[in-house]
Amino acid sequence: MTTDMTAPAPAGTLTRDALTVLQPGFTGTTAPDWLLRRLGEGLCSVGLFGRNIASAGQLAALTARLRAECPDVLVAIDEEGGDVTRLEVRTGSSFPGNLALGAVDDTELTRSVARELGRRLAECGVNLNWAPSGDVNSDPDNPVIGVRSFGADPHLVARHTAAYVEGLQSAGVAACTKHFPGHGDTAVDSHHDLPRVEAGLETLRTRELVPFRAAVAAGTRAVMSAHILLPALDPALPATLSPAALHGLLRAPVADGGLGFDGLIVTDGMEMAAVSATYGIERGSVMALAAGADAICVGGGLADEATVLRLRDALVAAVRAGELAEERLADAAARVRALGRWTTGTGAGAGEGTAPAPGIGLVAARRALRVTPSAGFAPLTQPAHVAAFTPVANIAVGDETPWGVGAELARLLPGTTTLTYGPEDDGAEQVLADAGERRIVAVVRDEHRHGWMGRALDALLAARPETVVVEMGVPRAAPRGAVHVATHGAARVCGTAAAEVLAGVR
């Protein structure tokens, strides 16, 4: 008996493949019954967020339960370290983010940080990290990348992206380099709208694509697409939905001008407005698969069984209607399964014997500090008042994670207080009233992007020149204050490193 290779796949195979290409999320710290059931029916990936994590032990138990249903399951997480952390969402990260590592510019340090972060993920059963960000932060007003990028120089970003990929994967965790073909030259957050990048093809090749080429050369197992419109590449469709971007650029052979990537292409969150507001998640998912994506990330906002079933059925219907080639869906599902096998074979073996390096994050954060003192500055010796000027957090960072120097400074100088101030407050007047006679430590985040912060600092420094300034975002504004400390990120360890300097303990 011969098999007709051109015959359509049985309905069960189609349904199974449609489930396989989804990377859904869920709510709660234990796996719901519906998720376990779908894992038995073909689902091969699960995305975890801060809401799913209470402790390392709980996370390990959760991933073990998922793996009991599907041994090759890809358990993915958005763990960049720095400002974007899920493992330590309620305490702040033990690792500085990319901008801090780029400021140090020691690729071995970056590799070591990524290896330790990967070791901790692997220990908890997480085997796919939606990181690192390979974006070149060429627009300093970028509202969503900023400190998540290694910097504004494409070659610096490239060497650290490659080092991060190597470090993470040496611990047995697959890297997913993002946001292809580069989200750094945008002034719009794709969570809210569709960013447009007007750069020409030559600029893309010499700037945005440089880190992605380096990531592919370093062996990144996955690449995440960006919901951005690049008219030079595709005048109509965002990269996630564009055959020109995914099949024609990312997949195309190097000899033909492409990047020659043969791993897993993962979409950014499909519920983000840049796609969902125009196409809807069902149509958007079909278009993304047809364009060359292999895995549909959904679950940051839509985290229920109904969403999974809607997308599964939309993909099956699209194949039956001829809108999505059956072979394309089968190829995408095969790539998902192949990465799952890597994590239980080559990947799992790579992490064996990785020596713990629990202090590497603080070492990196200390090295990333840039301290600009005024003449005669002396460390703080008495309790201070920390004024944290807090902008609205972007969705990727979220507002759950604590940040700043207040907690660490209070540990070193008991009695130190911290209050948060926003654009609606009276700025300097309120801070001065709250501080009384105590020394003021003004903590800002991207002062150059927020006029109200700059005005508050102007007034504070005019009234109290001895005020200390700590910049925990991108340090574009000129240093000022009795001492100016640039941390290059707002991770917990960045706050620790800054507090040590202010209190004179390092």
Side-chain angles (χ1 to χ4, degrees):
M1 179 180 175
T2 58
T3 301
D4 181 0
M5 300 301 290
T6 63
T13 301
L14 271 183
T15 301
R16 195 167 190 87
D17 285 351
L19 278 172
T20 296
V21 301
L22 303 180
Q23 289 192 349
F26 64 96
T27 57
T29 54
T30 57
D33 289 343
W34 69 261
L35 183 65
L36 299 175
R37 187 167 60 252
R38 301 306 168 192
L39 285 170
E41 296 173 358
L43 187 68
C44 287
S45 306
V46 176
L48 300 181
F49 298 86
R51 65 183 179 231
N52 304 123
I53 299 168
S55 68
Q58 166 269 326
L59 178 55
L62 168 60
T63 58
R65 184 69 188 90
L66 298 174
R67 210 150 269 124
E69 296 296 327
C70 177
D72 292 347
V73 67
L74 290 172
V75 181
I77 201 168
D78 202 5
E79 181 56 59
E80 300 176 17
D83 290 30
V84 179
T85 180
R86 308 304 178 219
L87 283 183
E88 300 178 278
V89 67
R90 291 168 190 84
T91 61
S93 182
S94 301
F95 303 93
N98 285 0
L99 188 64
L101 296 172
V104 178
D105 196 13
D106 177 345
T107 52
E108 190 48 49
L109 178 67
T110 295
R111 194 174 288 109
S112 297
V113 166
R115 184 183 300 117
E116 173 62 13
L117 190 149
R119 187 192 67 78
R120 295 191 195 181
L121 289 173
E123 200 171 60
C124 295
V126 176
N127 55 15
L128 173 60
N129 192 8
W130 293 319
S133 167
D135 303 297
V136 179
N137 199 46
S138 47
D139 184 344
D141 290 329
N142 194 312
V144 68
I145 301 301
V147 296
R148 301 168 65 198
S149 166
F150 289 109
D153 176 78
H155 298 287
L156 178 145
V157 175
R159 60 180 173 265
H160 287 279
T161 299
Y164 197 105
V165 166
E166 292 164 356
L168 192 64
Q169 293 187 168
S170 73
V173 175
C176 182
T177 306
K178 61 190 183 185
H179 306 80
F180 180 84
H183 207 314
D185 190 25
T186 61
V188 171
D189 184 343
S190 51
H191 291 89
H192 301 297
D193 206 345
L194 178 63
R196 185 182 177 99
V197 176
E198 298 292 355
L201 282 177
E202 186 55 32
T203 299
L204 290 177
R205 294 189 186 282
T206 57
R207 189 178 66 187
E208 273 76 11
L209 296 182
V210 175
F212 290 96
R213 284 196 203 98
V216 172
T220 187
R221 308 304 300 191
V223 169
M224 178 176 282
S225 66
H227 304 331
I228 56 176
L229 186 70
L230 299 100
L233 197 58
D234 188 323
L237 297 171
T240 294
L241 311 183
S242 169
L246 301 187
H247 181 72
L249 181 59
L250 183 53
R251 286 272 189 242
V254 174
D256 296 338
L259 273 67
F261 179 62
D262 195 39
L264 190 75
I265 299 177
V266 183
T267 71
D268 207 344
M270 293 303 288
E271 62 266 61
M272 292 165 63
V275 168
S276 64
T278 301
Y279 304 95
I281 63 167
E282 293 98 328
R283 184 180 171 214
S285 296
V286 170
M287 293 173 70
L289 264 292
D294 304 306
I296 302 297
C297 178
V298 64
L302 298 171
D304 54 24
E305 183 178 23
T307 298
V308 172
L309 297 181
R310 281 167 57 200
L311 294 182
R312 180 200 67 183
D313 294 347
L315 294 175
V316 170
V319 170
R320 290 176 174 159
E323 297 168 5
L324 175 63
E326 186 180 300
E327 296 79 7
R328 173 77 273 275
L329 178 61
D331 171 63
R335 289 180 189 276
V336 173
R337 295 181 191 119
L339 184 55
R341 288 192 298 272
W342 178 85
T343 66
T344 56
T346 306
E352 291 177 6
T354 302
I360 192 68
L362 183 55
V363 168
R366 286 168 175 161
R367 289 182 62 186
L369 292 183
R370 297 294 177 267
V371 182
T372 308
S374 296
F377 170 74
L380 306 179
T381 57
Q382 300 295 321
H385 179 67
V386 178
F389 293 102
T390 305
V392 175
N394 70 58
I395 291 175
V397 173
D399 56 10
E400 287 180 272
T401 306
W403 66 282
V405 301
E408 289 300 318
L409 204 54
R411 182 176 62 82
L412 297 172
L413 298 173
T416 292
T417 55
T418 300
L419 288 174
T420 296
Y421 303 87
E424 70 284 351
D425 295 312
D426 291 332
E429 287 186 21
Q430 187 61 53
V431 174
L432 291 168
D434 293 334
E437 298 301 312
R438 284 169 295 169
R439 189 83 170 270
I440 297 170
V441 177
V443 183
V444 295
R445 206 164 171 175
D446 293 342
E447 183 202 337
H448 70 283
R449 290 203 303 115
H450 302 286
W452 65 271
M453 278 187 202
R455 291 188 292 275
L457 274 188
D458 289 342
L460 265 185
L461 290 169
R464 300 276 290 271
E466 75 280 6
T467 293
V468 169
V469 179
V470 180
E471 169 63 84
M472 302 194 81
V474 178
R476 291 277 300 184
R480 52 188 175 149
V483 64
H484 184 277
V485 180
T487 62
H488 300 93
R492 175 171 51 82
V493 284
C494 296
T496 298
E500 290 173 343
V501 166
L502 296 182
V505 299
R506 284 193 66 83

